[in-house]
Amino acid sequence: MPLTVAGVHYRTCGLETRERLAVSRSALAQRLATALSAAKCDEVVLLSTCNRVEAYVAGDAADAREALLNGLEVETDELFELEGTKAVGHLFRVASSLDSMVPGEAQILGQVRRAYDAARDAGTAARTMHGLFQRAIKVGKEVRAEAGLTAVRNGVAETAATHAEDVLGKLGGKKLLCVGTGKMNRLLLRHFHSRPPSGRPASVAVIGRNQEKATRFAADFGGDGGSLDMLPIRLAEADLVVCGTGSPRPIVGEPVVRAAMRAREGQPLFVIDLALPRDVDPAVSKLDDVHLYDLDDLQAAAEIAAGGRRDELSIAERMVEKHVERFVAWQNGQKLGPLIDRLYDQANDAAQDEVQRFNRKLPDGLSAEDQAKIADASEELARRLVNKLLHGPVSSLRSMPDPERHATYRHAVEKLFQLDEE
């Protein structure tokens, strides 16, 4: 089956489209089953992160679009589609963090692994996806380690922290509010906490659906925890708000922020929304003295940071290209299995006919022991000749990365050796 990926990412569309297509972890199993049925394909893996939503299918482009969209409208210019070798290369770049907003970030490899595990558990991944995603995970580890990309550990969270320091100056004396206890918020707080005492927030407050969990989370950073009911009070007190929950709809609405701004009496409020779907109603950005930054706003800052890492990114890109060639060659080799088996069977049958003809012409009077030794030697000679004669052509077939040339040579072998199946 052909391999295709269809999707959207932060370069092709805005947050609104990614929000509509995003799949929560709890809903992933059902979406996989629906996608497999709707697309009528053999296998499908859905990769949904804050920066991309992609469907990898064992099928054609129409299958991939159906698996991804499933009744949702998306503008044509927002959607990308890649097939065959290009689809392989795309996944390898994604797993290696080369297609991330922050190249080198560590989270994407885990997200790729979870997407594959979910498809495997749901029964929507079989031979094609097993080989593809297992190799992609291996490539991602190797590229990040050997190209020096491990220097960026926290990706978008680190970029958000740096951006907050750029717009607010030093955070010493500032009050920080975290909405949610997710991984992204933890990474961001860890980044702030690693600063010298003079550069850390003066206070940290964490609120979430589970007050006990929020309290434990805040305690790791010397802060106070609370429930979401405390949002109006905490908004009025904070200088910087960071949101990163898994809520399917906004938690921070325009009315509650407007009320908080009245209590602040003109003091500016900076809000960073790291969630997809977004935690903060976009209408909040229209309020006076409120500065709202979402994932798309962080993209420019991330691209500037990546500009200073061209050498290591070039090394990583070359590594991915080599891995793509090796994978395609391996994949071609897998497809060639039946053809190569028939080729060796034909050669071995012909060799055995000649061995038997040779043995029938042995002189009379040889002892049984001598006959056995000659028979063994002729068998070994025939086997070695077959292997030596076919080794070169078979190796060339297996290692040929170009699909069109591969198909041409395969057809030529079938014709030249008369291996056509009836």
Side-chain angles (χ1 to χ4, degrees):
M1 291 293 294
L3 172 69
T4 308
V5 56
V8 296
H9 56 56
Y10 66 96
R11 291 194 187 94
T12 67
C13 69
L15 276 171
E16 183 179 349
T17 299
R18 303 204 303 274
E19 279 179 328
R20 285 194 288 112
L21 295 178
V23 187
S24 67
R25 195 177 299 186
S26 60
L28 188 53
Q30 180 59 47
R31 274 290 298 273
L32 282 165
T34 303
L36 194 72
S37 174
K40 297 181 175 60
C41 56
D42 289 348
E43 305 175 52
V44 60
V45 176
L46 293 176
L47 174 61
S48 181
T49 75
C50 58
N51 287 325
R52 69 186 66 252
V53 185
E54 299 172 350
Y56 294 82
V57 307
D60 59 22
D63 292 332
R65 283 195 301 272
E66 187 61 38
L68 174 74
L69 302 177
N70 196 24
L72 296 174
E73 293 296 327
V74 173
E75 296 295 329
T76 304
D77 58 358
E78 294 180 316
L79 187 68
F80 76 89
E81 297 170 357
L82 298 169
E83 295 184 285
T85 301
K86 290 182 179 179
V88 173
H90 176 75
L91 178 59
F92 285 9
R93 292 186 77 256
V94 168
S96 303
S97 77
L98 295 178
D99 200 57
S100 295
M101 184 182 294
V102 184
E105 56 98 357
Q107 286 75 45
I108 187 62
L109 188 58
Q111 291 165 335
V112 170
R113 183 184 292 110
R114 286 193 292 273
Y116 166 59
D117 288 342
R120 186 180 57 189
D121 294 343
T124 67
R127 183 174 181 177
T128 299
M129 296 303 165
H130 290 332
L132 177 66
F133 275 81
Q134 288 171 10
R135 184 69 64 91
I137 292 166
K138 181 178 179 181
V139 170
K141 290 180 182 177
E142 183 178 322
V143 170
R144 291 188 67 256
E146 296 187 13
L149 294 178
T150 51
V152 179
R153 290 182 173 84
N154 300 336
V156 172
E158 187 170 316
T159 300
T162 302
H163 190 64
E165 292 167 333
D166 288 342
V167 297
L168 284 172
K170 287 188 177 180
L171 294 180
K174 307 294 185 183
K175 296 180 179 180
L176 172 64
L177 168 63
C178 271
V179 180
T181 56
K183 185 175 182 179
M184 199 73 79
N185 279 0
R186 178 172 291 277
L187 290 172
L188 188 139
L189 282 179
R190 190 178 295 159
H191 179 89
F192 287 146
H193 205 63
S194 68
R195 292 288 191 259
S198 61
R200 298 175 190 170
S203 67
V204 174
V206 180
I207 58 175
R209 296 184 187 281
N210 186 317
Q211 182 172 345
E212 183 180 347
K213 185 177 180 180
T215 300
R216 291 198 305 268
F217 185 101
D220 292 341
F221 303 97
D224 298 320
S227 68
L228 284 176
D229 295 338
M230 300 181 67
L231 179 62
I233 297 173
R234 292 301 192 185
L235 280 174
E237 298 171 343
D239 297 301
L240 172 64
V241 181
V242 178
C243 302
T245 77
S247 173
R249 57 187 61 86
I251 290 177
V252 182
E254 190 266 356
V256 71
V257 178
R258 189 190 321 119
M261 294 309 294
R262 285 198 296 268
R264 296 173 67 82
E265 298 181 343
Q267 185 180 1
L269 178 66
F270 295 85
V271 183
I272 297 179
D273 189 352
L274 299 175
L276 185 79
R278 284 171 286 188
D279 282 336
V280 183
D281 184 343
V284 166
S285 64
K286 298 178 181 178
L287 296 174
D288 292 340
D289 299 317
V290 177
H291 305 275
L292 173 61
Y293 303 91
D294 58 28
L295 289 168
D296 282 353
D297 295 319
L298 296 176
Q299 181 180 345
E303 289 175 349
I304 292 172
R309 307 168 66 208
R310 288 193 178 92
D311 289 345
E312 61 191 63
L313 292 175
S314 295
I315 293 172
E317 291 284 3
R318 289 195 295 271
M319 291 179 65
V320 167
E321 288 174 6
K322 290 181 179 178
H323 277 292
V324 171
E325 290 178 1
R326 292 173 188 167
F327 178 79
V328 173
W330 171 82
Q331 199 175 39
N332 288 338
Q334 296 294 104
K335 295 176 184 176
L336 283 170
L339 174 67
I340 291 172
D341 287 343
R342 298 204 312 273
L343 183 59
Y344 271 100
D345 287 344
Q346 182 193 71
N348 282 320
D349 288 345
Q352 284 300 313
D353 289 342
E354 294 304 315
V355 166
Q356 293 175 12
R357 184 177 291 108
F358 171 77
N359 288 337
R360 286 197 297 269
K361 294 181 178 180
L362 290 176
D364 297 334
L366 291 174
S367 66
E369 183 179 357
D370 287 340
Q371 288 181 5
K373 287 181 179 179
I374 293 173
D376 289 343
S378 60
E379 291 272 0
E380 176 67 12
L381 176 63
R383 185 187 64 79
R384 294 181 63 178
L385 279 173
V386 167
N387 289 342
K388 183 166 288 190
L389 287 171
L390 295 183
H391 174 73
V394 168
S395 296
S396 296
L397 279 172
R398 288 188 187 278
S399 62
M400 196 171 297
D402 186 343
E404 291 185 4
R405 291 181 61 197
H406 181 270
T408 301
Y409 276 64
R410 181 173 59 185
H411 180 69
V413 169
E414 289 176 337
K415 289 295 183 183
L416 288 171
F417 290 91
Q418 299 180 344
L419 297 173
D420 307 63
E421 292 181 338
E422 294 181 4

